[in-house]
Amino acid sequence: MSGPAPIQTAGDRKPRRALRRRVAELLGAGRLVALPTETVYGVAARADHPAALAALRQLKAGTAGAGQAAARAERPFTWHVASATALESFEHQLPLARRLAERFWPGPLTMVLEGVPPGLEAVAQAGWTGLRQVAQATTLGLLADLDFPVVATSANLAGEEPLTDAGAVAEAFGSGLDLVVDGGPCRLAQASTVLALGPGRFEVLRQGILEGASLRSAAGLSLTFVCTGNTCRSPMAESLARLRLAERLGLRVAGKTGAELDTELANFGFSLSSAGVFASSGAPPASQGLEVLAEFGAPPPPGGSTPARAEDLAQRDHVFCLTRSHLESLRLLLPPRAGEHIQLLDPEGADIADPVGGSVAVYRACASRIDECLAARLDDWA
């Protein structure tokens, strides 16, 4: 290490052409460049360049002992992207990931998703890849110019805290870096939150500035299904939706109660309920409906009937009505333009007839129709 690494001042603004060209040339040739983010400085390398990745791992190991160095060399690098459209590189694009990106990107959230986009094979771990869109104008502009993927890891030597100042990065790594882009002090000066999101998994791997509760609130949805008395159609819709969501999210369903599934769905940020326009409180679901739900493998809803209340409906992300008359009744309960999240369950706009008083076969046909409508909407939920 012969003196500090070269620094080029850029600030937190769109980078000039000369800097964009220089960074692209260095990273393209497999060299290492330190880049600013809103959290900490990162050391970046070309993801599809084996020598660059080897250099990055060696630099990251720093002065650690052999055991520590080996452990650090196995730690994953994060794909740094210029746009949330990078999510389209994953075969299974989770709506939850898209909602998180809409809420927190650009920003201090790293998502680890199942899948390995092209060019990231050497940095993925067990078929999972981490990615992040940082909220730092210079780095975003630099990444947008590149036609190859770039990964980065926090700028810190073994056992030390990540660095938040360009001068400190240049001094710490010296000739190990070919350039330090000075974006000024990192305004958050705290690590990003790392969230693993995929089948059966919503796990905060590293707690950063974003809390797990905030991530769940942004990722999931609150869904309510409404019919007339909340004893036939809407309880079946609630239970079938609980079943299909749990299956889509990779949760084990067999042998679990509705309350148990609700607890697991809540970990992904989902909340399900049902109500009735003219419902009393606490009436049990129709026995024919419960028999049909058992045929589907869906546990019965956890509670009894509930009246549809304006204050409850206003807080839900989506309210699905079984008929147009339910839709019109609910919209009358809320102020103008406050009921836009209330819609028919059938995406084609058809009513689903009430099976009350009918045979098990009538309830079975109703449940099948509800299940078809849920299947048409599931891709938007999870």
Side-chain angles (χ1 to χ4, degrees):
M1 186 176 300
S2 56
I7 297 177
Q8 185 158 341
T9 301
D12 189 359
R13 60 180 181 272
K14 185 176 179 180
R16 296 182 182 276
R17 183 178 302 175
L19 178 59
R20 298 201 305 269
R21 185 184 306 115
R22 186 180 181 194
V23 169
E25 290 173 352
L26 288 172
L27 289 174
R31 314 304 286 270
L32 303 184
V33 176
L35 298 174
T37 77
E38 74 279 15
T39 54
V40 300
Y41 273 77
V43 181
R46 182 168 176 166
D48 57 359
H49 195 296
L53 295 178
L56 184 56
R57 290 190 173 97
Q58 182 177 359
L59 185 75
K60 186 69 175 178
T63 57
Q68 286 181 310
R72 296 179 75 85
E74 292 300 318
R75 291 186 182 180
F77 300 142
T78 300
W79 181 24
H80 281 55
V81 302
S83 167
T85 58
L87 292 172
E88 298 172 8
S89 302
F90 291 82
E91 181 180 355
H92 304 291
Q93 300 173 42
L94 292 176
L96 291 80
R98 293 198 295 270
R99 288 192 288 269
L100 285 166
E102 289 172 3
R103 173 65 179 85
F104 296 113
W105 278 5
L109 172 64
T110 297
M111 285 190 277
V112 181
L113 306 178
E114 186 182 41
V116 185
L120 279 297
E121 293 83 0
V123 296
Q125 290 206 333
W128 293 69
T129 306
L131 72 164
R132 176 185 171 199
Q133 183 190 16
V134 302
Q136 213 281 352
T138 300
T139 295
L140 278 179
L142 294 171
L143 293 172
D145 275 357
L146 304 178
D147 59 2
F148 50 82
V150 168
V151 292
T153 182
S154 58
N156 58 292
L157 294 175
E160 298 182 359
E161 290 296 314
L163 300 172
T164 60
D165 175 81
V169 174
E171 288 286 347
F173 291 103
S175 59
L177 294 175
D178 291 278
L179 180 67
V180 176
V181 177
D182 185 356
C186 300
R187 56 185 175 84
L188 297 181
Q190 186 176 346
S192 69
T193 296
V194 180
L195 173 70
L197 177 61
R201 193 176 187 191
F202 194 107
E203 181 183 1
V204 176
L205 301 180
R206 182 181 70 198
Q207 183 65 64
I209 196 167
L210 298 175
E211 300 273 344
S214 298
L215 299 179
R216 291 183 178 88
S217 177
L221 295 170
S222 55
L223 309 172
T224 294
F225 303 89
V226 177
C227 67
T228 305
N230 193 212
T231 59
C232 300
R233 287 166 291 180
S234 57
M236 289 195 295
E238 175 191 349
S239 292
L240 289 170
R242 182 177 290 109
L243 171 68
R244 301 310 180 201
L245 263 177
E247 291 173 341
R248 177 63 64 92
L249 293 171
L251 302 175
R252 187 178 64 82
V253 176
K256 292 182 179 175
T257 66
E260 289 170 336
L261 282 181
D262 276 345
T263 298
E264 295 192 33
L265 289 172
N267 187 53
F268 290 81
F270 284 96
S271 168
L272 281 76
S273 64
S274 60
V277 173
F278 298 114
S280 60
S281 295
S287 60
Q288 300 97 315
L290 294 177
E291 183 175 340
V292 169
L293 288 176
E295 294 175 1
F296 276 83
S305 62
T306 302
R309 300 182 179 90
E311 59 270 26
D312 297 329
L313 300 176
Q315 301 300 316
R316 308 300 282 178
D317 290 312
H318 297 287
V319 176
F320 295 102
C321 298
L322 277 296
T323 70
R324 187 162 296 280
S325 65
H326 301 140
L327 177 68
E328 293 169 353
S329 296
L330 294 188
R331 285 184 172 170
L332 288 175
L333 292 177
L334 299 174
R337 293 184 297 277
E340 295 178 356
H341 64 303
I342 303 175
Q343 56 196 302
L344 289 173
L345 177 61
D346 187 338
E348 302 299 322
D351 287 354
I352 298 178
D354 195 347
V356 65
S359 65
V360 170
V362 172
Y363 274 80
R364 186 179 297 117
C366 180
S368 295
R369 183 75 190 98
I370 289 170
D371 203 33
E372 291 173 0
C373 295
L374 293 172
R377 293 193 176 277
L378 195 58
D379 285 345
D380 293 330
W381 300 346

PDB file of all heavy atoms in Angstrom, residues 51-83:
ATOM      1  N   ALA A  51     -11.226 -12.086 -12.413  1.00  0.00           N
ATOM      2  CA  ALA A  51     -10.070 -11.474 -11.762  1.00  0.00           C
ATOM      3  C   ALA A  51     -10.490 -10.300 -10.891  1.00  0.00           C
ATOM      4  O   ALA A  51      -9.929 -10.070  -9.816  1.00  0.00           O
ATOM      5  CB  ALA A  51      -9.056 -11.018 -12.821  1.00  0.00           C
ATOM      6  N   ALA A  52     -11.495  -9.546 -11.348  1.00  0.00           N
ATOM      7  CA  ALA A  52     -11.980  -8.414 -10.557  1.00  0.00           C
ATOM      8  C   ALA A  52     -12.617  -8.906  -9.262  1.00  0.00           C
ATOM      9  O   ALA A  52     -12.403  -8.320  -8.184  1.00  0.00           O
ATOM     10  CB  ALA A  52     -12.984  -7.606 -11.370  1.00  0.00           C
ATOM     11  N   LEU A  53     -13.384  -9.976  -9.339  1.00  0.00           N
ATOM     12  CA  LEU A  53     -14.011 -10.513  -8.135  1.00  0.00           C
ATOM     13  C   LEU A  53     -12.970 -11.072  -7.171  1.00  0.00           C
ATOM     14  O   LEU A  53     -13.090 -10.902  -5.951  1.00  0.00           O
ATOM     15  CB  LEU A  53     -15.007 -11.607  -8.518  1.00  0.00           C
ATOM     16  CG  LEU A  53     -16.218 -11.151  -9.333  1.00  0.00           C
ATOM     17  CD1 LEU A  53     -17.098 -12.343  -9.679  1.00  0.00           C
ATOM     18  CD2 LEU A  53     -17.016 -10.096  -8.585  1.00  0.00           C
ATOM     19  N   ALA A  54     -11.939 -11.707  -7.708  1.00  0.00           N
ATOM     20  CA  ALA A  54     -10.867 -12.225  -6.850  1.00  0.00           C
ATOM     21  C   ALA A  54     -10.158 -11.074  -6.141  1.00  0.00           C
ATOM     22  O   ALA A  54      -9.846 -11.165  -4.940  1.00  0.00           O
ATOM     23  CB  ALA A  54      -9.875 -13.031  -7.688  1.00  0.00           C
ATOM     24  N   ALA A  55      -9.918  -9.988  -6.871  1.00  0.00           N
ATOM     25  CA  ALA A  55      -9.259  -8.821  -6.264  1.00  0.00           C
ATOM     26  C   ALA A  55     -10.143  -8.199  -5.186  1.00  0.00           C
ATOM     27  O   ALA A  55      -9.651  -7.756  -4.138  1.00  0.00           O
ATOM     28  CB  ALA A  55      -8.924  -7.801  -7.348  1.00  0.00           C
ATOM     29  N   LEU A  56     -11.440  -8.175  -5.447  1.00  0.00           N
ATOM     30  CA  LEU A  56     -12.361  -7.595  -4.477  1.00  0.00           C
ATOM     31  C   LEU A  56     -12.399  -8.447  -3.205  1.00  0.00           C
ATOM     32  O   LEU A  56     -12.391  -7.913  -2.092  1.00  0.00           O
ATOM     33  CB  LEU A  56     -13.759  -7.490  -5.090  1.00  0.00           C
ATOM     34  CG  LEU A  56     -14.838  -6.818  -4.243  1.00  0.00           C
ATOM     35  CD1 LEU A  56     -14.415  -5.416  -3.825  1.00  0.00           C
ATOM     36  CD2 LEU A  56     -16.161  -6.776  -5.000  1.00  0.00           C
ATOM     37  N   ARG A  57     -12.401  -9.749  -3.358  1.00  0.00           N
ATOM     38  CA  ARG A  57     -12.400 -10.624  -2.172  1.00  0.00           C
ATOM     39  C   ARG A  57     -11.101 -10.480  -1.383  1.00  0.00           C
ATOM     40  O   ARG A  57     -11.113 -10.458  -0.156  1.00  0.00           O
ATOM     41  CB  ARG A  57     -12.622 -12.069  -2.604  1.00  0.00           C
ATOM     42  CG  ARG A  57     -14.027 -12.340  -3.109  1.00  0.00           C
ATOM     43  CD  ARG A  57     -14.291 -13.827  -3.297  1.00  0.00           C
ATOM     44  NE  ARG A  57     -15.694 -14.055  -3.628  1.00  0.00           N
ATOM     45  CZ  ARG A  57     -16.169 -14.203  -4.860  1.00  0.00           C
ATOM     46  NH1 ARG A  57     -15.316 -14.182  -5.894  1.00  0.00           N
ATOM     47  NH2 ARG A  57     -17.452 -14.401  -5.078  1.00  0.00           N
ATOM     48  N   GLN A  58     -10.006 -10.372  -2.093  1.00  0.00           N
ATOM     49  CA  GLN A  58      -8.715 -10.211  -1.418  1.00  0.00           C
ATOM     50  C   GLN A  58      -8.673  -8.888  -0.678  1.00  0.00           C
ATOM     51  O   GLN A  58      -8.206  -8.807   0.473  1.00  0.00           O
ATOM     52  CB  GLN A  58      -7.578 -10.290  -2.436  1.00  0.00           C
ATOM     53  CG  GLN A  58      -6.192 -10.186  -1.802  1.00  0.00           C
ATOM     54  CD  GLN A  58      -5.081 -10.339  -2.831  1.00  0.00           C
ATOM     55  OE1 GLN A  58      -5.338 -10.534  -4.012  1.00  0.00           O
ATOM     56  NE2 GLN A  58      -3.848 -10.233  -2.375  1.00  0.00           N
ATOM     57  N   LEU A  59      -9.161  -7.834  -1.327  1.00  0.00           N
ATOM     58  CA  LEU A  59      -9.178  -6.523  -0.685  1.00  0.00           C
ATOM     59  C   LEU A  59     -10.072  -6.544   0.548  1.00  0.00           C
ATOM     60  O   LEU A  59      -9.728  -5.975   1.591  1.00  0.00           O
ATOM     61  CB  LEU A  59      -9.669  -5.468  -1.682  1.00  0.00           C
ATOM     62  CG  LEU A  59      -9.625  -4.021  -1.192  1.00  0.00           C
ATOM     63  CD1 LEU A  59      -8.190  -3.505  -1.184  1.00  0.00           C
ATOM     64  CD2 LEU A  59     -10.497  -3.130  -2.072  1.00  0.00           C
ATOM     65  N   LYS A  60     -11.210  -7.197   0.431  1.00  0.00           N
ATOM     66  CA  LYS A  60     -12.157  -7.234   1.543  1.00  0.00           C
ATOM     67  C   LYS A  60     -11.578  -8.000   2.732  1.00  0.00           C
ATOM     68  O   LYS A  60     -11.829  -7.657   3.889  1.00  0.00           O
ATOM     69  CB  LYS A  60     -13.464  -7.902   1.083  1.00  0.00           C
ATOM     70  CG  LYS A  60     -14.578  -7.864   2.103  1.00  0.00           C
ATOM     71  CD  LYS A  60     -15.104  -6.464   2.325  1.00  0.00           C
ATOM     72  CE  LYS A  60     -16.304  -6.468   3.253  1.00  0.00           C
ATOM     73  NZ  LYS A  60     -16.805  -5.122   3.528  1.00  0.00           N
ATOM     74  N   ALA A  61     -10.803  -9.052   2.444  1.00  0.00           N
ATOM     75  CA  ALA A  61     -10.197  -9.827   3.530  1.00  0.00           C
ATOM     76  C   ALA A  61      -9.214  -8.983   4.323  1.00  0.00           C
ATOM     77  O   ALA A  61      -9.078  -9.123   5.535  1.00  0.00           O
ATOM     78  CB  ALA A  61      -9.502 -11.058   2.968  1.00  0.00           C
ATOM     79  N   GLY A  62      -8.514  -8.081   3.637  1.00  0.00           N
ATOM     80  CA  GLY A  62      -7.615  -7.146   4.285  1.00  0.00           C
ATOM     81  C   GLY A  62      -6.578  -7.819   5.141  1.00  0.00           C
ATOM     82  O   GLY A  62      -5.926  -8.763   4.726  1.00  0.00           O
ATOM     83  N   THR A  63      -6.481  -7.358   6.359  1.00  0.00           N
ATOM     84  CA  THR A  63      -5.454  -7.841   7.284  1.00  0.00           C
ATOM     85  C   THR A  63      -5.978  -8.919   8.217  1.00  0.00           C
ATOM     86  O   THR A  63      -5.361  -9.214   9.239  1.00  0.00           O
ATOM     87  CB  THR A  63      -4.931  -6.666   8.125  1.00  0.00           C
ATOM     88  OG1 THR A  63      -6.042  -6.074   8.811  1.00  0.00           O
ATOM     89  CG2 THR A  63      -4.251  -5.635   7.252  1.00  0.00           C
ATOM     90  N   ALA A  64      -7.129  -9.505   7.874  1.00  0.00           N
ATOM     91  CA  ALA A  64      -7.690 -10.532   8.759  1.00  0.00           C
ATOM     92  C   ALA A  64      -6.797 -11.761   8.786  1.00  0.00           C
ATOM     93  O   ALA A  64      -6.033 -12.024   7.870  1.00  0.00           O
ATOM     94  CB  ALA A  64      -9.090 -10.917   8.273  1.00  0.00           C
ATOM     95  N   GLY A  65      -6.939 -12.533   9.848  1.00  0.00           N
ATOM     96  CA  GLY A  65      -6.236 -13.807   9.914  1.00  0.00           C
ATOM     97  C   GLY A  65      -6.799 -14.770   8.888  1.00  0.00           C
ATOM     98  O   GLY A  65      -7.814 -14.505   8.250  1.00  0.00           O
ATOM     99  N   ALA A  66      -6.165 -15.914   8.757  1.00  0.00           N
ATOM    100  CA  ALA A  66      -6.544 -16.855   7.712  1.00  0.00           C
ATOM    101  C   ALA A  66      -8.006 -17.280   7.832  1.00  0.00           C
ATOM    102  O   ALA A  66      -8.737 -17.339   6.847  1.00  0.00           O
ATOM    103  CB  ALA A  66      -5.633 -18.079   7.754  1.00  0.00           C
ATOM    104  N   GLY A  67      -8.447 -17.582   9.064  1.00  0.00           N
ATOM    105  CA  GLY A  67      -9.834 -18.009   9.258  1.00  0.00           C
ATOM    106  C   GLY A  67     -10.819 -16.912   8.935  1.00  0.00           C
ATOM    107  O   GLY A  67     -11.811 -17.125   8.238  1.00  0.00           O
ATOM    108  N   GLN A  68     -10.519 -15.706   9.436  1.00  0.00           N
ATOM    109  CA  GLN A  68     -11.401 -14.578   9.144  1.00  0.00           C
ATOM    110  C   GLN A  68     -11.407 -14.256   7.658  1.00  0.00           C
ATOM    111  O   GLN A  68     -12.453 -13.961   7.077  1.00  0.00           O
ATOM    112  CB  GLN A  68     -10.948 -13.337   9.920  1.00  0.00           C
ATOM    113  CG  GLN A  68     -11.268 -13.381  11.401  1.00  0.00           C
ATOM    114  CD  GLN A  68     -10.812 -12.099  12.067  1.00  0.00           C
ATOM    115  OE1 GLN A  68      -9.671 -11.655  11.903  1.00  0.00           O
ATOM    116  NE2 GLN A  68     -11.697 -11.482  12.803  1.00  0.00           N
ATOM    117  N   ALA A  69     -10.263 -14.293   7.040  1.00  0.00           N
ATOM    118  CA  ALA A  69     -10.175 -13.969   5.620  1.00  0.00           C
ATOM    119  C   ALA A  69     -10.990 -14.936   4.790  1.00  0.00           C
ATOM    120  O   ALA A  69     -11.692 -14.551   3.849  1.00  0.00           O
ATOM    121  CB  ALA A  69      -8.715 -13.986   5.166  1.00  0.00           C
ATOM    122  N   ALA A  70     -10.926 -16.220   5.127  1.00  0.00           N
ATOM    123  CA  ALA A  70     -11.696 -17.213   4.387  1.00  0.00           C
ATOM    124  C   ALA A  70     -13.193 -16.972   4.550  1.00  0.00           C
ATOM    125  O   ALA A  70     -13.964 -17.070   3.594  1.00  0.00           O
ATOM    126  CB  ALA A  70     -11.331 -18.612   4.856  1.00  0.00           C
ATOM    127  N   ALA A  71     -13.589 -16.624   5.783  1.00  0.00           N
ATOM    128  CA  ALA A  71     -15.010 -16.363   6.026  1.00  0.00           C
ATOM    129  C   ALA A  71     -15.480 -15.142   5.253  1.00  0.00           C
ATOM    130  O   ALA A  71     -16.562 -15.135   4.668  1.00  0.00           O
ATOM    131  CB  ALA A  71     -15.254 -16.176   7.525  1.00  0.00           C
ATOM    132  N   ARG A  72     -14.645 -14.091   5.249  1.00  0.00           N
ATOM    133  CA  ARG A  72     -15.019 -12.866   4.549  1.00  0.00           C
ATOM    134  C   ARG A  72     -15.065 -13.094   3.050  1.00  0.00           C
ATOM    135  O   ARG A  72     -15.872 -12.492   2.351  1.00  0.00           O
ATOM    136  CB  ARG A  72     -14.055 -11.731   4.904  1.00  0.00           C
ATOM    137  CG  ARG A  72     -14.095 -11.330   6.371  1.00  0.00           C
ATOM    138  CD  ARG A  72     -13.101 -10.211   6.662  1.00  0.00           C
ATOM    139  NE  ARG A  72     -13.579  -8.954   6.164  1.00  0.00           N
ATOM    140  CZ  ARG A  72     -14.405  -8.141   6.821  1.00  0.00           C
ATOM    141  NH1 ARG A  72     -14.868  -8.501   8.006  1.00  0.00           N
ATOM    142  NH2 ARG A  72     -14.788  -6.995   6.314  1.00  0.00           N
ATOM    143  N   ALA A  73     -14.199 -13.958   2.551  1.00  0.00           N
ATOM    144  CA  ALA A  73     -14.184 -14.227   1.114  1.00  0.00           C
ATOM    145  C   ALA A  73     -15.468 -14.909   0.666  1.00  0.00           C
ATOM    146  O   ALA A  73     -15.852 -14.818  -0.498  1.00  0.00           O
ATOM    147  CB  ALA A  73     -12.983 -15.098   0.761  1.00  0.00           C
ATOM    148  N   GLU A  74     -16.155 -15.580   1.609  1.00  0.00           N
ATOM    149  CA  GLU A  74     -17.385 -16.270   1.256  1.00  0.00           C
ATOM    150  C   GLU A  74     -18.606 -15.361   1.352  1.00  0.00           C
ATOM    151  O   GLU A  74     -19.694 -15.734   0.920  1.00  0.00           O
ATOM    152  CB  GLU A  74     -17.578 -17.481   2.176  1.00  0.00           C
ATOM    153  CG  GLU A  74     -16.552 -18.588   1.959  1.00  0.00           C
ATOM    154  CD  GLU A  74     -16.591 -19.121   0.539  1.00  0.00           C
ATOM    155  OE1 GLU A  74     -17.702 -19.317   0.001  1.00  0.00           O
ATOM    156  OE2 GLU A  74     -15.511 -19.326  -0.039  1.00  0.00           O
ATOM    157  N   ARG A  75     -18.453 -14.180   1.911  1.00  0.00           N
ATOM    158  CA  ARG A  75     -19.592 -13.289   2.061  1.00  0.00           C
ATOM    159  C   ARG A  75     -20.055 -12.798   0.689  1.00  0.00           C
ATOM    160  O   ARG A  75     -19.253 -12.540  -0.201  1.00  0.00           O
ATOM    161  CB  ARG A  75     -19.225 -12.097   2.951  1.00  0.00           C
ATOM    162  CG  ARG A  75     -19.010 -12.505   4.403  1.00  0.00           C
ATOM    163  CD  ARG A  75     -18.791 -11.296   5.278  1.00  0.00           C
ATOM    164  NE  ARG A  75     -18.536 -11.698   6.656  1.00  0.00           N
ATOM    165  CZ  ARG A  75     -18.304 -10.840   7.646  1.00  0.00           C
ATOM    166  NH1 ARG A  75     -18.280  -9.538   7.389  1.00  0.00           N
ATOM    167  NH2 ARG A  75     -18.074 -11.270   8.865  1.00  0.00           N
ATOM    168  N   PRO A  76     -21.367 -12.663   0.501  1.00  0.00           N
ATOM    169  CA  PRO A  76     -21.873 -12.288  -0.817  1.00  0.00           C
ATOM    170  C   PRO A  76     -21.643 -10.819  -1.131  1.00  0.00           C
ATOM    171  O   PRO A  76     -21.539  -9.977  -0.238  1.00  0.00           O
ATOM    172  CB  PRO A  76     -23.366 -12.589  -0.705  1.00  0.00           C
ATOM    173  CG  PRO A  76     -23.670 -12.449   0.759  1.00  0.00           C
ATOM    174  CD  PRO A  76     -22.436 -12.925   1.470  1.00  0.00           C
ATOM    175  N   PHE A  77     -21.562 -10.521  -2.422  1.00  0.00           N
ATOM    176  CA  PHE A  77     -21.519  -9.155  -2.913  1.00  0.00           C
ATOM    177  C   PHE A  77     -22.911  -8.795  -3.432  1.00  0.00           C
ATOM    178  O   PHE A  77     -23.676  -9.671  -3.846  1.00  0.00           O
ATOM    179  CB  PHE A  77     -20.494  -9.005  -4.038  1.00  0.00           C
ATOM    180  CG  PHE A  77     -19.079  -9.358  -3.633  1.00  0.00           C
ATOM    181  CD1 PHE A  77     -18.245 -10.028  -4.508  1.00  0.00           C
ATOM    182  CD2 PHE A  77     -18.589  -9.001  -2.391  1.00  0.00           C
ATOM    183  CE1 PHE A  77     -16.950 -10.349  -4.158  1.00  0.00           C
ATOM    184  CE2 PHE A  77     -17.295  -9.319  -2.010  1.00  0.00           C
ATOM    185  CZ  PHE A  77     -16.467  -9.998  -2.902  1.00  0.00           C
ATOM    186  N   THR A  78     -23.212  -7.525  -3.420  1.00  0.00           N
ATOM    187  CA  THR A  78     -24.528  -7.057  -3.834  1.00  0.00           C
ATOM    188  C   THR A  78     -24.468  -6.443  -5.221  1.00  0.00           C
ATOM    189  O   THR A  78     -23.615  -5.585  -5.501  1.00  0.00           O
ATOM    190  CB  THR A  78     -25.067  -6.022  -2.837  1.00  0.00           C
ATOM    191  OG1 THR A  78     -25.169  -6.627  -1.538  1.00  0.00           O
ATOM    192  CG2 THR A  78     -26.436  -5.514  -3.252  1.00  0.00           C
ATOM    193  N   TRP A  79     -25.367  -6.877  -6.070  1.00  0.00           N
ATOM    194  CA  TRP A  79     -25.515  -6.281  -7.396  1.00  0.00           C
ATOM    195  C   TRP A  79     -26.112  -4.886  -7.238  1.00  0.00           C
ATOM    196  O   TRP A  79     -27.194  -4.726  -6.692  1.00  0.00           O
ATOM    197  CB  TRP A  79     -26.435  -7.172  -8.230  1.00  0.00           C
ATOM    198  CG  TRP A  79     -26.676  -6.721  -9.637  1.00  0.00           C
ATOM    199  CD1 TRP A  79     -25.880  -5.930 -10.401  1.00  0.00           C
ATOM    200  CD2 TRP A  79     -27.816  -7.069 -10.452  1.00  0.00           C
ATOM    201  NE1 TRP A  79     -26.440  -5.758 -11.649  1.00  0.00           N
ATOM    202  CE2 TRP A  79     -27.619  -6.447 -11.702  1.00  0.00           C
ATOM    203  CE3 TRP A  79     -28.949  -7.844 -10.237  1.00  0.00           C
ATOM    204  CZ2 TRP A  79     -28.542  -6.572 -12.749  1.00  0.00           C
ATOM    205  CZ3 TRP A  79     -29.868  -7.977 -11.265  1.00  0.00           C
ATOM    206  CH2 TRP A  79     -29.663  -7.350 -12.495  1.00  0.00           C
ATOM    207  N   HIS A  80     -25.391  -3.875  -7.699  1.00  0.00           N
ATOM    208  CA  HIS A  80     -25.858  -2.496  -7.628  1.00  0.00           C
ATOM    209  C   HIS A  80     -26.447  -2.100  -8.977  1.00  0.00           C
ATOM    210  O   HIS A  80     -25.774  -2.192 -10.008  1.00  0.00           O
ATOM    211  CB  HIS A  80     -24.721  -1.560  -7.222  1.00  0.00           C
ATOM    212  CG  HIS A  80     -24.446  -1.577  -5.747  1.00  0.00           C
ATOM    213  ND1 HIS A  80     -24.168  -2.735  -5.058  1.00  0.00           N
ATOM    214  CD2 HIS A  80     -24.418  -0.582  -4.824  1.00  0.00           C
ATOM    215  CE1 HIS A  80     -23.984  -2.451  -3.770  1.00  0.00           C
ATOM    216  NE2 HIS A  80     -24.139  -1.162  -3.602  1.00  0.00           N
ATOM    217  N   VAL A  81     -27.710  -1.696  -8.954  1.00  0.00           N
ATOM    218  CA  VAL A  81     -28.450  -1.460 -10.185  1.00  0.00           C
ATOM    219  C   VAL A  81     -28.850   0.005 -10.295  1.00  0.00           C
ATOM    220  O   VAL A  81     -28.986   0.713  -9.297  1.00  0.00           O
ATOM    221  CB  VAL A  81     -29.692  -2.366 -10.257  1.00  0.00           C
ATOM    222  CG1 VAL A  81     -29.274  -3.837 -10.156  1.00  0.00           C
ATOM    223  CG2 VAL A  81     -30.693  -2.030  -9.155  1.00  0.00           C
ATOM    224  N   ALA A  82     -29.051   0.430 -11.544  1.00  0.00           N
ATOM    225  CA  ALA A  82     -29.423   1.820 -11.798  1.00  0.00           C
ATOM    226  C   ALA A  82     -30.927   2.025 -11.806  1.00  0.00           C
ATOM    227  O   ALA A  82     -31.403   3.156 -11.716  1.00  0.00           O
ATOM    228  CB  ALA A  82     -28.838   2.277 -13.130  1.00  0.00           C
ATOM    229  N   SER A  83     -31.688   0.933 -11.907  1.00  0.00           N
ATOM    230  CA  SER A  83     -33.133   1.047 -12.025  1.00  0.00           C
ATOM    231  C   SER A  83     -33.799  -0.193 -11.444  1.00  0.00           C
ATOM    232  O   SER A  83     -33.239  -1.295 -11.463  1.00  0.00           O
ATOM    233  CB  SER A  83     -33.526   1.206 -13.499  1.00  0.00           C
ATOM    234  OG  SER A  83     -34.908   1.023 -13.687  1.00  0.00           O
TER     235      SER A  83
END
